[in-house]
Amino acid sequence: MTEDDFDRLQALLASRAGYRLGRDRLHLAEHRLGPVARREGFDSVDALLQSLWVKPVASLGWAVIEALLNPETWFRRDRAVFDTISRELLPAISRVRPGGRVTLWSAGCSTGQEAYSLAIGAQEARVAADIVATDLSQRAIDKARSGLFSAFEIQRGLSARVMLDWFQPAEDAWTAVPRLKDAIRFARHNLLDAPADGARFDVILCRNVLSEMEHAQRGRVVDHLERRLADDGVLILGAEERIDGDTVAFRPVGGRQGLYVKAPAALSRAA
């Protein structure tokens, strides 16, 4: 892959998904595109890219973008966050919602471990929850919807008890039990796109997504998240993520790393 190819990849990724790869990831990008080239019938990554530049086919462009995204995830990632959600947030919100039903959105859910962790937490807390989980990658969403995880994936973050309670062996893998799958609605969604409907959520998790986005695009996504969050809802980011410089619509919750609520200014605008 030439530096010119990498620059064009940068532009494609930034315009379609809001991300920008550092120059130090050139070799990583080439490594990740190898399987895409083979799957699409090209002899090499260079041949794939040349075809894309000459004839920008949307499906091929998205296949390239999906391969460059960071899919890293695991069950109950940052366990303290999920303890807070299941033991404090969900019961508290449930008490003030009609019928006790809470709505959650896992925004940037990758292959689904976060969404299934939310569903487990809600059901163990005996809280009725509607969970929506979205990701830019259709391949990730397809895997998430299947509920099928390898032995390595299933043991990463889950205790033996939880694993046996909520997953069943399926040959050399594990599959989520039906009541867990039924609790989640998976869909492909680009966070750069404005909300297509008026749905609002009590809890939104957008964890370890914004940190790799371009500054301007990050602000755009935060604005969309603010419009999607209930006025008394909670936004949860990754432990090391900050949005202080991107928006005045949210304020951090003291003593709760990664938790944000709407700032008074945002509530005044909504009113």
Side-chain angles (χ1 to χ4, degrees), residues 26 80 234 251 265:
L26 188 151
V234 178
R251 61 176 178 83

Side-chain angles (χ1 to χ4, degrees), residues 121-261:
Q123 294 193 29
E124 290 187 338
R126 300 183 183 279
V127 171
D130 294 324
I131 302 171
V132 173
T134 66
D135 198 86
L136 180 64
S137 169
Q138 185 61 54
R139 290 175 66 83
I141 286 297
D142 290 342
K143 175 176 170 57
R145 188 179 286 122
S146 77
L148 198 64
F149 298 95
S150 68
F152 171 76
E153 291 170 326
I154 203 70
Q155 294 177 47
R156 196 178 183 198
L158 294 181
S159 66
R161 179 196 65 80
V162 173
M163 180 180 72
L164 293 173
D165 282 349
W166 297 100
F167 294 86
Q168 300 170 334
E171 296 183 358
D172 58 347
W174 292 78
T175 184
V177 297
R179 68 183 183 279
L180 204 57
K181 288 184 182 181
D182 293 344
I184 308 166
R185 179 166 62 86
F186 289 102
R188 183 184 179 279
H189 176 68
N190 189 340
L191 291 174
L192 295 183
D193 294 339
D197 56 43
R200 301 178 85 190
F201 299 90
D202 299 311
V203 180
I204 297 177
L205 288 86
C206 188
R207 306 171 66 236
N208 309 297
V209 173
L210 298 174
S211 56
E212 294 189 356
M213 299 191 81
E214 292 191 312
H215 179 76
Q217 301 287 42
R218 191 165 62 240
R220 180 176 168 186
V221 171
V222 170
D223 179 63
H224 293 163
L225 295 175
E226 188 266 328
R227 292 167 60 187
R228 284 289 200 179
L229 187 67
D231 288 344
D232 58 349
V234 178
L235 171 67
I236 304 178
L237 304 180
E240 305 301 321
E241 290 180 306
R242 298 289 182 274
I243 55 172
D244 308 51
D246 301 309
T247 180
V248 295
F250 291 100
R251 61 176 178 83
V253 176
R256 299 289 189 175
Q257 195 171 32
L259 269 65
Y260 288 79
V261 294

